Amino acid sequence: KGGGMRKSLLMFGFLLVLGLSSFGQHFYAFYYDVSGSQDVSVNLLNTMGGDTGYVLKVYDAWGNLLWSKIGDLTGYEADYYVLSDYVPSQDTSWGVVTVESDNLLIIGLEYMADGTVVSIDTISQEVPELDPGVSYWLGAYYTQAGDVTTGVIVMNPWEVAVSVAVSIYGPAGNTLYKMDVALDPHESEFIDLEAVVGRGGLIWGLVDVLMRDLPVVLALEYYGEVLDVKNITEYYY
């Protein structure tokens, strides 16, 4: 019985390492959406004077690989991709994009609606490593006040399943909503805050995501007169 347990643990460890193995030394992940009238331009910027290789992968909401690209950048060179040129526009064409590279990158994201850039975000932080068994938290601001409402996207950038706990707090620190989110490899979950907490002047505050063992990536879409998109990769605690 003990030998079987050790064998199972060894096999799990092997599969985990295999699942987390990367093309390069650096690993980035962020949100995209090419469903409906939305689109995203991904700009890969080499921050180093030497050459770097990279692999870009785009997954749908269920974790299916839709498109991948292997490329190279010379010193300080940049590449860009308008994702709708490579990814079909369908209801599930949203979720996580991962980028693995040999050298450090900065990734510029232009989020578009109806062909117009409505939001720009910059990814400079890699997906962090977590100490096993230790709790970490991602946090972000949300608002359901006035004419603005918020959508929360939780993304799994890994080739293994992950689970996190998402809490939505009001300004008085009261818990308005809480859910456990289990994500299959590369799967994403969308939480419509209007549906789960409503709208109103006193509905704003903290989106909090509790993580253990493996991190997820968080994005928020703010819907108002224009769409604004922000990615959160680095934990605050």
Side-chain angles (χ1 to χ4, degrees):
K1 187 174 180 180
M5 177 73 75
R6 285 192 295 272
K7 188 179 294 183
S8 298
L9 289 172
L10 287 171
M11 179 59 70
F12 174 78
F14 171 75
L15 292 174
L16 183 62
V17 171
L18 182 65
L20 301 183
S21 61
S22 296
F23 167 84
Q25 300 178 35
H26 306 283
F27 185 56
Y28 306 87
F30 51 87
Y31 171 68
Y32 84 98
D33 188 351
V34 298
S35 65
S37 63
Q38 292 183 234
D39 205 346
V40 184
S41 173
V42 178
N43 302 269
L44 305 177
L45 317 173
N46 184 6
T47 65
M48 310 299 286
D51 297 348
T52 185
Y54 66 83
V55 175
L56 183 151
K57 296 180 180 180
V58 181
Y59 298 90
D60 72 5
W62 301 113
N64 301 303
L65 181 64
L66 296 180
W67 178 65
S68 63
K69 173 68 177 179
I70 297 176
D72 293 287
L73 296 169
T74 59
Y76 305 109
E77 187 183 14
D79 275 345
Y80 81 95
Y81 302 97
V82 177
L83 293 186
S84 64
D85 291 341
Y86 310 96
V87 175
S89 179
Q90 56 192 18
D91 290 344
T92 58
S93 289
W94 60 272
V96 70
V97 178
T98 65
V99 178
E100 300 164 86
S101 61
D102 297 322
N103 290 331
L104 290 168
L105 300 178
I106 286 178
I107 303 172
L109 303 173
E110 296 182 349
Y111 291 93
M112 293 173 275
D114 298 313
T116 300
V117 175
V118 293
S119 183
I120 295 176
D121 200 9
T122 299
I123 305 298
S124 59
Q125 297 292 325
E126 300 177 54
V127 178
E129 294 183 4
L130 305 184
D131 292 329
V134 179
S135 297
Y136 295 81
W137 285 265
L138 289 175
Y141 167 74
Y142 80 93
T143 178
Q144 300 294 105
D147 296 327
V148 181
T149 185
T150 308
V152 176
I153 304 97
V154 184
M155 296 161 281
N156 178 10
W158 306 107
E159 294 180 5
V160 294
V162 300
S163 296
V164 297
V166 179
S167 299
I168 309 297
Y169 295 100
N174 51 316
T175 303
L176 300 179
Y177 181 73
K178 188 171 184 177
M179 70 177 294
D180 293 324
V181 177
L183 297 171
D184 287 333
H186 301 117
E187 188 181 10
S188 298
E189 176 81 15
F190 177 82
I191 304 170
D192 180 0
L193 292 193
E194 185 170 4
V196 299
V197 301
R199 298 186 69 167
L202 295 178
I203 306 178
W204 58 272
L206 174 67
V207 178
D208 212 28
V209 180
L210 169 61
M211 309 179 294
R212 291 189 181 92
D213 298 328
L214 286 175
V216 295
V217 178
L218 183 66
L220 285 91
E221 288 188 319
Y222 302 95
Y223 315 108
E225 290 187 13
V226 295
L227 173 69
D228 190 23
V229 182
K230 298 301 177 190
N231 290 275
I232 297 93
T233 301
E234 187 64 35
Y235 54 82
Y236 69 83
Y237 183 78

